[in-house]
Amino acid sequence: MKKTILYSSPYARTMQTAKAIHAELPGEVPFLQNPLIREWELGNLLNINNRTPQLKKEFKASGSFFYRYPNGESMADVYLRATMFYNTFLQRVKQQNRYEDVIMVSHSAFMHAFLTFMMQWPIDNKAKPKPFDNACVIAIDEVDGDYQYKQIFAPKISVTN
């Protein structure tokens, strides 16, 4: 097996998933938590229809990417965390050539921010993909100096009452 390293968001459900994945990997695969890859913190997410006029004005003035929710983050903050993770951890992994595969157990909003950075999409990209399926697996590969991604697994989920 290729040299692999596993990173996980510290949130409970991602840690459960990461532990299940790690249990199926060879014992020498490092398993690390990293708070940079946690989910978007929406803070006091107010009912979108019941926001005060002042909050509506702030949202409109800053835009959906830059609007920082009260006691939370903007998507720009998440994007910044994604770039920090790439530049402080993944670049180092790549430069040291210690690992060939990186497994990251994270969250949809973080992965969208991460892909926006990696794929160099404009932040207002209307063509970016729909939200990822819950518990899906995506693969990001570097091909001829450019990054490509694809969803390689999505569990079949059925809801019954």
PDB file of all heavy atoms in Angstrom, residues 67-96:
ATOM      1  N   TYR A  67     -20.023  37.495   4.310  1.00  0.00           N
ATOM      2  CA  TYR A  67     -20.855  37.782   5.480  1.00  0.00           C
ATOM      3  C   TYR A  67     -20.470  36.868   6.627  1.00  0.00           C
ATOM      4  O   TYR A  67     -20.462  35.649   6.490  1.00  0.00           O
ATOM      5  CB  TYR A  67     -22.351  37.602   5.161  1.00  0.00           C
ATOM      6  CG  TYR A  67     -23.227  37.870   6.360  1.00  0.00           C
ATOM      7  CD1 TYR A  67     -23.457  39.161   6.796  1.00  0.00           C
ATOM      8  CD2 TYR A  67     -23.803  36.819   7.061  1.00  0.00           C
ATOM      9  CE1 TYR A  67     -24.242  39.411   7.904  1.00  0.00           C
ATOM     10  CE2 TYR A  67     -24.600  37.056   8.162  1.00  0.00           C
ATOM     11  CZ  TYR A  67     -24.813  38.351   8.592  1.00  0.00           C
ATOM     12  OH  TYR A  67     -25.585  38.591   9.686  1.00  0.00           O
ATOM     13  N   ARG A  68     -20.112  37.466   7.758  1.00  0.00           N
ATOM     14  CA  ARG A  68     -19.757  36.685   8.944  1.00  0.00           C
ATOM     15  C   ARG A  68     -20.972  36.620   9.855  1.00  0.00           C
ATOM     16  O   ARG A  68     -21.450  37.632  10.336  1.00  0.00           O
ATOM     17  CB  ARG A  68     -18.581  37.322   9.676  1.00  0.00           C
ATOM     18  CG  ARG A  68     -18.104  36.488  10.857  1.00  0.00           C
ATOM     19  CD  ARG A  68     -16.810  37.011  11.457  1.00  0.00           C
ATOM     20  NE  ARG A  68     -15.696  36.671  10.579  1.00  0.00           N
ATOM     21  CZ  ARG A  68     -14.793  37.550  10.150  1.00  0.00           C
ATOM     22  NH1 ARG A  68     -14.847  38.806  10.519  1.00  0.00           N
ATOM     23  NH2 ARG A  68     -13.810  37.160   9.359  1.00  0.00           N
ATOM     24  N   TYR A  69     -21.471  35.407  10.053  1.00  0.00           N
ATOM     25  CA  TYR A  69     -22.631  35.205  10.913  1.00  0.00           C
ATOM     26  C   TYR A  69     -22.287  35.599  12.343  1.00  0.00           C
ATOM     27  O   TYR A  69     -21.152  35.379  12.783  1.00  0.00           O
ATOM     28  CB  TYR A  69     -23.108  33.749  10.852  1.00  0.00           C
ATOM     29  CG  TYR A  69     -23.714  33.414   9.514  1.00  0.00           C
ATOM     30  CD1 TYR A  69     -22.938  32.948   8.465  1.00  0.00           C
ATOM     31  CD2 TYR A  69     -25.071  33.616   9.292  1.00  0.00           C
ATOM     32  CE1 TYR A  69     -23.499  32.676   7.222  1.00  0.00           C
ATOM     33  CE2 TYR A  69     -25.642  33.344   8.056  1.00  0.00           C
ATOM     34  CZ  TYR A  69     -24.842  32.880   7.036  1.00  0.00           C
ATOM     35  OH  TYR A  69     -25.404  32.622   5.820  1.00  0.00           O
ATOM     36  N   PRO A  70     -23.241  36.182  13.090  1.00  0.00           N
ATOM     37  CA  PRO A  70     -22.965  36.544  14.481  1.00  0.00           C
ATOM     38  C   PRO A  70     -22.415  35.339  15.246  1.00  0.00           C
ATOM     39  O   PRO A  70     -22.988  34.256  15.211  1.00  0.00           O
ATOM     40  CB  PRO A  70     -24.338  36.976  15.018  1.00  0.00           C
ATOM     41  CG  PRO A  70     -25.093  37.428  13.800  1.00  0.00           C
ATOM     42  CD  PRO A  70     -24.619  36.514  12.694  1.00  0.00           C
ATOM     43  N   ASN A  71     -21.280  35.519  15.882  1.00  0.00           N
ATOM     44  CA  ASN A  71     -20.583  34.469  16.635  1.00  0.00           C
ATOM     45  C   ASN A  71     -20.178  33.293  15.746  1.00  0.00           C
ATOM     46  O   ASN A  71     -20.034  32.173  16.229  1.00  0.00           O
ATOM     47  CB  ASN A  71     -21.436  33.964  17.816  1.00  0.00           C
ATOM     48  CG  ASN A  71     -21.725  35.062  18.801  1.00  0.00           C
ATOM     49  OD1 ASN A  71     -20.825  35.795  19.192  1.00  0.00           O
ATOM     50  ND2 ASN A  71     -22.981  35.217  19.171  1.00  0.00           N
ATOM     51  N   GLY A  72     -19.998  33.539  14.479  1.00  0.00           N
ATOM     52  CA  GLY A  72     -19.620  32.471  13.557  1.00  0.00           C
ATOM     53  C   GLY A  72     -18.589  32.949  12.539  1.00  0.00           C
ATOM     54  O   GLY A  72     -17.855  33.899  12.784  1.00  0.00           O
ATOM     55  N   GLU A  73     -18.544  32.257  11.417  1.00  0.00           N
ATOM     56  CA  GLU A  73     -17.564  32.532  10.376  1.00  0.00           C
ATOM     57  C   GLU A  73     -18.255  32.910   9.072  1.00  0.00           C
ATOM     58  O   GLU A  73     -19.396  32.527   8.834  1.00  0.00           O
ATOM     59  CB  GLU A  73     -16.743  31.271  10.055  1.00  0.00           C
ATOM     60  CG  GLU A  73     -15.915  30.711  11.150  1.00  0.00           C
ATOM     61  CD  GLU A  73     -15.200  29.457  10.685  1.00  0.00           C
ATOM     62  OE1 GLU A  73     -15.876  28.450  10.382  1.00  0.00           O
ATOM     63  OE2 GLU A  73     -13.960  29.494  10.623  1.00  0.00           O
ATOM     64  N   SER A  74     -17.509  33.567   8.238  1.00  0.00           N
ATOM     65  CA  SER A  74     -17.931  33.755   6.858  1.00  0.00           C
ATOM     66  C   SER A  74     -17.353  32.594   6.045  1.00  0.00           C
ATOM     67  O   SER A  74     -16.459  31.881   6.512  1.00  0.00           O
ATOM     68  CB  SER A  74     -17.399  35.078   6.314  1.00  0.00           C
ATOM     69  OG  SER A  74     -15.980  35.030   6.216  1.00  0.00           O
ATOM     70  N   MET A  75     -17.846  32.417   4.832  1.00  0.00           N
ATOM     71  CA  MET A  75     -17.243  31.413   3.959  1.00  0.00           C
ATOM     72  C   MET A  75     -15.814  31.830   3.629  1.00  0.00           C
ATOM     73  O   MET A  75     -14.946  30.968   3.411  1.00  0.00           O
ATOM     74  CB  MET A  75     -18.075  31.209   2.690  1.00  0.00           C
ATOM     75  CG  MET A  75     -17.529  30.126   1.776  1.00  0.00           C
ATOM     76  SD  MET A  75     -17.160  28.541   2.572  1.00  0.00           S
ATOM     77  CE  MET A  75     -18.753  27.802   2.616  1.00  0.00           C
ATOM     78  N   ALA A  76     -15.525  33.120   3.636  1.00  0.00           N
ATOM     79  CA  ALA A  76     -14.150  33.587   3.426  1.00  0.00           C
ATOM     80  C   ALA A  76     -13.229  33.071   4.537  1.00  0.00           C
ATOM     81  O   ALA A  76     -12.072  32.723   4.280  1.00  0.00           O
ATOM     82  CB  ALA A  76     -14.103  35.112   3.350  1.00  0.00           C
ATOM     83  N   ASP A  77     -13.746  33.009   5.760  1.00  0.00           N
ATOM     84  CA  ASP A  77     -12.963  32.449   6.868  1.00  0.00           C
ATOM     85  C   ASP A  77     -12.659  30.973   6.627  1.00  0.00           C
ATOM     86  O   ASP A  77     -11.551  30.499   6.890  1.00  0.00           O
ATOM     87  CB  ASP A  77     -13.712  32.602   8.197  1.00  0.00           C
ATOM     88  CG  ASP A  77     -13.905  34.044   8.618  1.00  0.00           C
ATOM     89  OD1 ASP A  77     -13.024  34.882   8.360  1.00  0.00           O
ATOM     90  OD2 ASP A  77     -14.963  34.327   9.228  1.00  0.00           O
ATOM     91  N   VAL A  78     -13.660  30.237   6.142  1.00  0.00           N
ATOM     92  CA  VAL A  78     -13.472  28.810   5.854  1.00  0.00           C
ATOM     93  C   VAL A  78     -12.450  28.640   4.735  1.00  0.00           C
ATOM     94  O   VAL A  78     -11.567  27.782   4.805  1.00  0.00           O
ATOM     95  CB  VAL A  78     -14.817  28.135   5.494  1.00  0.00           C
ATOM     96  CG1 VAL A  78     -14.620  26.654   5.191  1.00  0.00           C
ATOM     97  CG2 VAL A  78     -15.825  28.316   6.619  1.00  0.00           C
ATOM     98  N   TYR A  79     -12.543  29.478   3.708  1.00  0.00           N
ATOM     99  CA  TYR A  79     -11.588  29.465   2.596  1.00  0.00           C
ATOM    100  C   TYR A  79     -10.175  29.706   3.132  1.00  0.00           C
ATOM    101  O   TYR A  79      -9.226  29.025   2.733  1.00  0.00           O
ATOM    102  CB  TYR A  79     -11.987  30.535   1.582  1.00  0.00           C
ATOM    103  CG  TYR A  79     -11.100  30.629   0.371  1.00  0.00           C
ATOM    104  CD1 TYR A  79     -11.373  29.879  -0.770  1.00  0.00           C
ATOM    105  CD2 TYR A  79     -10.001  31.466   0.353  1.00  0.00           C
ATOM    106  CE1 TYR A  79     -10.570  29.968  -1.898  1.00  0.00           C
ATOM    107  CE2 TYR A  79      -9.192  31.556  -0.767  1.00  0.00           C
ATOM    108  CZ  TYR A  79      -9.478  30.815  -1.891  1.00  0.00           C
ATOM    109  OH  TYR A  79      -8.673  30.907  -3.001  1.00  0.00           O
ATOM    110  N   LEU A  80     -10.045  30.655   4.030  1.00  0.00           N
ATOM    111  CA  LEU A  80      -8.740  30.937   4.622  1.00  0.00           C
ATOM    112  C   LEU A  80      -8.208  29.721   5.373  1.00  0.00           C
ATOM    113  O   LEU A  80      -7.033  29.362   5.251  1.00  0.00           O
ATOM    114  CB  LEU A  80      -8.822  32.146   5.551  1.00  0.00           C
ATOM    115  CG  LEU A  80      -7.526  32.543   6.257  1.00  0.00           C
ATOM    116  CD1 LEU A  80      -6.429  32.888   5.246  1.00  0.00           C
ATOM    117  CD2 LEU A  80      -7.777  33.720   7.178  1.00  0.00           C
ATOM    118  N   ARG A  81      -9.076  29.046   6.142  1.00  0.00           N
ATOM    119  CA  ARG A  81      -8.641  27.822   6.832  1.00  0.00           C
ATOM    120  C   ARG A  81      -8.207  26.754   5.840  1.00  0.00           C
ATOM    121  O   ARG A  81      -7.235  26.030   6.072  1.00  0.00           O
ATOM    122  CB  ARG A  81      -9.749  27.283   7.730  1.00  0.00           C
ATOM    123  CG  ARG A  81      -9.954  28.076   8.990  1.00  0.00           C
ATOM    124  CD  ARG A  81     -10.797  27.351  10.039  1.00  0.00           C
ATOM    125  NE  ARG A  81     -12.219  27.337   9.773  1.00  0.00           N
ATOM    126  CZ  ARG A  81     -12.922  26.281   9.401  1.00  0.00           C
ATOM    127  NH1 ARG A  81     -12.332  25.109   9.231  1.00  0.00           N
ATOM    128  NH2 ARG A  81     -14.227  26.363   9.208  1.00  0.00           N
ATOM    129  N   ALA A  82      -8.932  26.644   4.720  1.00  0.00           N
ATOM    130  CA  ALA A  82      -8.579  25.651   3.691  1.00  0.00           C
ATOM    131  C   ALA A  82      -7.198  25.947   3.120  1.00  0.00           C
ATOM    132  O   ALA A  82      -6.387  25.035   2.942  1.00  0.00           O
ATOM    133  CB  ALA A  82      -9.636  25.632   2.590  1.00  0.00           C
ATOM    134  N   THR A  83      -6.927  27.218   2.846  1.00  0.00           N
ATOM    135  CA  THR A  83      -5.609  27.571   2.300  1.00  0.00           C
ATOM    136  C   THR A  83      -4.517  27.351   3.343  1.00  0.00           C
ATOM    137  O   THR A  83      -3.415  26.910   3.003  1.00  0.00           O
ATOM    138  CB  THR A  83      -5.568  29.021   1.781  1.00  0.00           C
ATOM    139  OG1 THR A  83      -5.800  29.929   2.847  1.00  0.00           O
ATOM    140  CG2 THR A  83      -6.589  29.249   0.683  1.00  0.00           C
ATOM    141  N   MET A  84      -4.844  27.635   4.603  1.00  0.00           N
ATOM    142  CA  MET A  84      -3.863  27.398   5.674  1.00  0.00           C
ATOM    143  C   MET A  84      -3.551  25.912   5.802  1.00  0.00           C
ATOM    144  O   MET A  84      -2.386  25.529   5.968  1.00  0.00           O
ATOM    145  CB  MET A  84      -4.381  27.953   7.003  1.00  0.00           C
ATOM    146  CG  MET A  84      -4.368  29.461   7.066  1.00  0.00           C
ATOM    147  SD  MET A  84      -5.198  30.145   8.521  1.00  0.00           S
ATOM    148  CE  MET A  84      -4.484  29.234   9.855  1.00  0.00           C
ATOM    149  N   PHE A  85      -4.567  25.065   5.733  1.00  0.00           N
ATOM    150  CA  PHE A  85      -4.336  23.623   5.816  1.00  0.00           C
ATOM    151  C   PHE A  85      -3.457  23.165   4.660  1.00  0.00           C
ATOM    152  O   PHE A  85      -2.497  22.425   4.855  1.00  0.00           O
ATOM    153  CB  PHE A  85      -5.664  22.854   5.830  1.00  0.00           C
ATOM    154  CG  PHE A  85      -5.473  21.376   5.936  1.00  0.00           C
ATOM    155  CD1 PHE A  85      -5.076  20.792   7.129  1.00  0.00           C
ATOM    156  CD2 PHE A  85      -5.675  20.557   4.834  1.00  0.00           C
ATOM    157  CE1 PHE A  85      -4.876  19.421   7.225  1.00  0.00           C
ATOM    158  CE2 PHE A  85      -5.482  19.186   4.928  1.00  0.00           C
ATOM    159  CZ  PHE A  85      -5.082  18.624   6.124  1.00  0.00           C
ATOM    160  N   TYR A  86      -3.780  23.617   3.466  1.00  0.00           N
ATOM    161  CA  TYR A  86      -2.985  23.232   2.303  1.00  0.00           C
ATOM    162  C   TYR A  86      -1.536  23.713   2.459  1.00  0.00           C
ATOM    163  O   TYR A  86      -0.599  22.931   2.289  1.00  0.00           O
ATOM    164  CB  TYR A  86      -3.588  23.789   1.014  1.00  0.00           C
ATOM    165  CG  TYR A  86      -2.762  23.430  -0.192  1.00  0.00           C
ATOM    166  CD1 TYR A  86      -2.873  22.172  -0.779  1.00  0.00           C
ATOM    167  CD2 TYR A  86      -1.837  24.316  -0.719  1.00  0.00           C
ATOM    168  CE1 TYR A  86      -2.083  21.813  -1.864  1.00  0.00           C
ATOM    169  CE2 TYR A  86      -1.047  23.967  -1.807  1.00  0.00           C
ATOM    170  CZ  TYR A  86      -1.172  22.723  -2.377  1.00  0.00           C
ATOM    171  OH  TYR A  86      -0.388  22.361  -3.435  1.00  0.00           O
ATOM    172  N   ASN A  87      -1.364  24.979   2.795  1.00  0.00           N
ATOM    173  CA  ASN A  87      -0.019  25.556   2.837  1.00  0.00           C
ATOM    174  C   ASN A  87       0.816  25.092   4.015  1.00  0.00           C
ATOM    175  O   ASN A  87       2.036  25.002   3.893  1.00  0.00           O
ATOM    176  CB  ASN A  87      -0.099  27.088   2.825  1.00  0.00           C
ATOM    177  CG  ASN A  87      -0.521  27.612   1.473  1.00  0.00           C
ATOM    178  OD1 ASN A  87      -0.087  27.131   0.439  1.00  0.00           O
ATOM    179  ND2 ASN A  87      -1.410  28.588   1.474  1.00  0.00           N
ATOM    180  N   THR A  88       0.191  24.779   5.146  1.00  0.00           N
ATOM    181  CA  THR A  88       0.977  24.378   6.314  1.00  0.00           C
ATOM    182  C   THR A  88       1.131  22.877   6.468  1.00  0.00           C
ATOM    183  O   THR A  88       2.098  22.427   7.069  1.00  0.00           O
ATOM    184  CB  THR A  88       0.382  24.961   7.616  1.00  0.00           C
ATOM    185  OG1 THR A  88      -0.961  24.530   7.755  1.00  0.00           O
ATOM    186  CG2 THR A  88       0.454  26.464   7.633  1.00  0.00           C
ATOM    187  N   PHE A  89       0.196  22.109   5.924  1.00  0.00           N
ATOM    188  CA  PHE A  89       0.272  20.657   6.091  1.00  0.00           C
ATOM    189  C   PHE A  89       0.476  19.918   4.772  1.00  0.00           C
ATOM    190  O   PHE A  89       1.417  19.152   4.626  1.00  0.00           O
ATOM    191  CB  PHE A  89      -0.977  20.123   6.825  1.00  0.00           C
ATOM    192  CG  PHE A  89      -1.031  20.588   8.240  1.00  0.00           C
ATOM    193  CD1 PHE A  89      -1.776  21.701   8.582  1.00  0.00           C
ATOM    194  CD2 PHE A  89      -0.311  19.943   9.229  1.00  0.00           C
ATOM    195  CE1 PHE A  89      -1.811  22.160   9.895  1.00  0.00           C
ATOM    196  CE2 PHE A  89      -0.338  20.390  10.539  1.00  0.00           C
ATOM    197  CZ  PHE A  89      -1.088  21.500  10.867  1.00  0.00           C
ATOM    198  N   LEU A  90      -0.388  20.141   3.811  1.00  0.00           N
ATOM    199  CA  LEU A  90      -0.307  19.359   2.576  1.00  0.00           C
ATOM    200  C   LEU A  90       0.917  19.714   1.739  1.00  0.00           C
ATOM    201  O   LEU A  90       1.536  18.822   1.153  1.00  0.00           O
ATOM    202  CB  LEU A  90      -1.589  19.514   1.764  1.00  0.00           C
ATOM    203  CG  LEU A  90      -2.846  19.001   2.457  1.00  0.00           C
ATOM    204  CD1 LEU A  90      -4.036  19.065   1.518  1.00  0.00           C
ATOM    205  CD2 LEU A  90      -2.665  17.588   2.996  1.00  0.00           C
ATOM    206  N   GLN A  91       1.291  20.978   1.677  1.00  0.00           N
ATOM    207  CA  GLN A  91       2.508  21.347   0.947  1.00  0.00           C
ATOM    208  C   GLN A  91       3.730  20.687   1.576  1.00  0.00           C
ATOM    209  O   GLN A  91       4.622  20.231   0.883  1.00  0.00           O
ATOM    210  CB  GLN A  91       2.688  22.869   0.922  1.00  0.00           C
ATOM    211  CG  GLN A  91       1.970  23.556  -0.209  1.00  0.00           C
ATOM    212  CD  GLN A  91       2.486  23.143  -1.570  1.00  0.00           C
ATOM    213  OE1 GLN A  91       1.968  22.217  -2.180  1.00  0.00           O
ATOM    214  NE2 GLN A  91       3.495  23.804  -2.049  1.00  0.00           N
ATOM    215  N   ARG A  92       3.755  20.654   2.902  1.00  0.00           N
ATOM    216  CA  ARG A  92       4.871  20.020   3.610  1.00  0.00           C
ATOM    217  C   ARG A  92       4.925  18.528   3.314  1.00  0.00           C
ATOM    218  O   ARG A  92       5.992  17.969   3.069  1.00  0.00           O
ATOM    219  CB  ARG A  92       4.715  20.276   5.106  1.00  0.00           C
ATOM    220  CG  ARG A  92       5.871  19.786   5.916  1.00  0.00           C
ATOM    221  CD  ARG A  92       5.723  20.243   7.354  1.00  0.00           C
ATOM    222  NE  ARG A  92       6.789  19.654   8.134  1.00  0.00           N
ATOM    223  CZ  ARG A  92       6.700  19.423   9.418  1.00  0.00           C
ATOM    224  NH1 ARG A  92       5.618  19.749  10.074  1.00  0.00           N
ATOM    225  NH2 ARG A  92       7.697  18.877  10.062  1.00  0.00           N
ATOM    226  N   VAL A  93       3.762  17.882   3.335  1.00  0.00           N
ATOM    227  CA  VAL A  93       3.690  16.455   2.998  1.00  0.00           C
ATOM    228  C   VAL A  93       4.233  16.222   1.595  1.00  0.00           C
ATOM    229  O   VAL A  93       5.016  15.302   1.348  1.00  0.00           O
ATOM    230  CB  VAL A  93       2.233  15.944   3.127  1.00  0.00           C
ATOM    231  CG1 VAL A  93       2.033  14.622   2.421  1.00  0.00           C
ATOM    232  CG2 VAL A  93       1.836  15.826   4.588  1.00  0.00           C
ATOM    233  N   LYS A  94       3.830  17.089   0.669  1.00  0.00           N
ATOM    234  CA  LYS A  94       4.268  16.960  -0.718  1.00  0.00           C
ATOM    235  C   LYS A  94       5.780  17.190  -0.843  1.00  0.00           C
ATOM    236  O   LYS A  94       6.479  16.428  -1.503  1.00  0.00           O
ATOM    237  CB  LYS A  94       3.495  17.971  -1.575  1.00  0.00           C
ATOM    238  CG  LYS A  94       3.693  17.822  -3.039  1.00  0.00           C
ATOM    239  CD  LYS A  94       2.765  18.790  -3.778  1.00  0.00           C
ATOM    240  CE  LYS A  94       2.932  18.657  -5.263  1.00  0.00           C
ATOM    241  NZ  LYS A  94       2.036  19.550  -5.998  1.00  0.00           N
ATOM    242  N   GLN A  95       6.292  18.226  -0.189  1.00  0.00           N
ATOM    243  CA  GLN A  95       7.721  18.544  -0.269  1.00  0.00           C
ATOM    244  C   GLN A  95       8.586  17.465   0.364  1.00  0.00           C
ATOM    245  O   GLN A  95       9.657  17.145  -0.144  1.00  0.00           O
ATOM    246  CB  GLN A  95       8.003  19.892   0.398  1.00  0.00           C
ATOM    247  CG  GLN A  95       7.492  21.066  -0.387  1.00  0.00           C
ATOM    248  CD  GLN A  95       7.565  22.373   0.398  1.00  0.00           C
ATOM    249  OE1 GLN A  95       7.811  22.379   1.603  1.00  0.00           O
ATOM    250  NE2 GLN A  95       7.340  23.477  -0.289  1.00  0.00           N
ATOM    251  N   GLN A  96       8.141  16.906   1.465  1.00  0.00           N
ATOM    252  CA  GLN A  96       8.917  15.875   2.153  1.00  0.00           C
ATOM    253  C   GLN A  96       8.829  14.524   1.456  1.00  0.00           C
ATOM    254  O   GLN A  96       9.626  13.639   1.744  1.00  0.00           O
ATOM    255  CB  GLN A  96       8.454  15.737   3.601  1.00  0.00           C
ATOM    256  CG  GLN A  96       8.783  16.927   4.453  1.00  0.00           C
ATOM    257  CD  GLN A  96       8.245  16.789   5.867  1.00  0.00           C
ATOM    258  OE1 GLN A  96       7.369  15.966   6.147  1.00  0.00           O
ATOM    259  NE2 GLN A  96       8.765  17.597   6.761  1.00  0.00           N
TER     260      GLN A  96
END
